[in-house]
Amino acid sequence: MTVSWIPHRFAGGVLALDTANTVVLRGDPERTFDRFEDPDEIARFADAAATFRAAELGGRALAVSAPRRIAPVVLAIREATDRLFRGAATGGAAAADDLAAFLRACATGLDGSKERLGAPGRPFGDAATPIAFEAALAVSALSLLSGVTMARLRICPNCNWLFLDRSRNASRLWCDMAVCGNRRKASRHYHRRKAAWEVDNV
Ligand SMILES: [Zn+2]
């Protein structure tokens, strides 16, 4: 079954967190699942992400030429990103060994790329051509390392996704109020967290 890459699945706020959130219900071993289990979903995700993350990407399209070939690199960056920033969101600081693993994973995404990155107004390079998804993922992930961003990292108490809280007073609780906020409010079993979690629309 193919995944519908609806706007809710881009609630992370940046490409790297949206990618981290392609594993749903992390921390729940019985219910967690991976939307990239079929590597072809990486290409479909990238198509949707080019639209939903157009502002971050400077309008650059994302290229996935061989999903099966890049899947190990993508999953390595994804897992290292989740580990580092989940730890930072929970503990308020990044663990050095997680950071080292994260930097190595990001390096594999950029290795061999001929891109020119970080020019003013062009963080992901020239929008005239697509950028390889794994390279863009690495750039997005590395952009999270600033202290300002770290202070805005949150974990949704309903679905366990990571997201950036860009609200003015930094008080956002849910990844997506319309989905997780309402679902949790509607639950009659608020205290039975597992029972309250619903997977279908996460
Ligand atoms: Zn959520």
Side-chain angles (χ1 to χ4, degrees):
M1 194 176 76
T2 59
V3 178
S4 295
W5 293 107
I6 55 175
H8 170 61
R9 289 169 184 154
F10 296 84
V14 290
L15 178 66
L17 295 183
D18 297 332
T19 303
N21 294 339
T22 60
V23 176
V24 178
L25 297 170
R26 286 183 190 266
D28 184 340
E30 288 174 13
R31 305 181 69 193
T32 188
F33 61 94
D34 183 351
R35 291 206 162 101
F36 285 173
E37 195 176 303
D38 174 1
D40 286 340
E41 289 295 346
I42 295 173
R44 301 181 67 244
F45 171 87
D47 279 347
T51 299
F52 292 119
R53 290 285 159 249
E56 179 189 2
L57 296 166
R60 207 153 179 210
L62 297 168
V64 178
S65 53
R68 277 172 176 71
R69 182 176 56 76
I70 67 158
V73 173
V74 168
L75 299 197
I77 299 171
R78 180 186 73 175
E79 294 311 300
T81 298
D82 188 83
R83 184 174 177 81
L84 177 66
F85 293 106
R86 189 171 297 278
T90 307
D97 56 348
D98 289 346
L99 178 58
F102 169 81
L103 293 171
R104 280 193 293 271
C106 287
T108 64
L110 295 167
D111 206 20
S113 173
K114 300 286 186 277
E115 293 290 346
R116 305 280 297 165
L117 303 164
R122 292 179 172 186
F124 290 79
D126 185 356
T129 56
I131 181 173
F133 174 66
E134 64 273 28
L137 180 58
V139 174
S140 177
L142 289 164
S143 77
L144 291 168
L145 284 175
S146 78
V148 175
T149 301
M150 297 269 272
R152 294 267 178 165
L153 277 172
R154 305 280 182 267
I155 298 172
C156 176
N158 188 57
C159 70
N160 222 14
W161 275 356
L162 282 165
F163 66 94
L164 271 188
D165 176 5
R166 292 195 173 103
S167 65
R168 190 181 289 185
N169 55 0
S171 61
R172 196 171 130 202
L173 180 58
W174 312 101
C175 74
D176 185 341
M177 183 65 209
V179 176
C180 285
N182 283 342
R183 183 169 296 163
R184 185 59 86 84
K185 268 197 223 161
S187 170
R188 292 171 189 272
H189 302 285
Y190 189 92
H191 58 286
R192 292 170 61 195
R193 194 161 72 161
K194 265 195 170 177
W197 279 0
E198 290 175 32
V199 177
D200 297 353
N201 295 315
V202 166

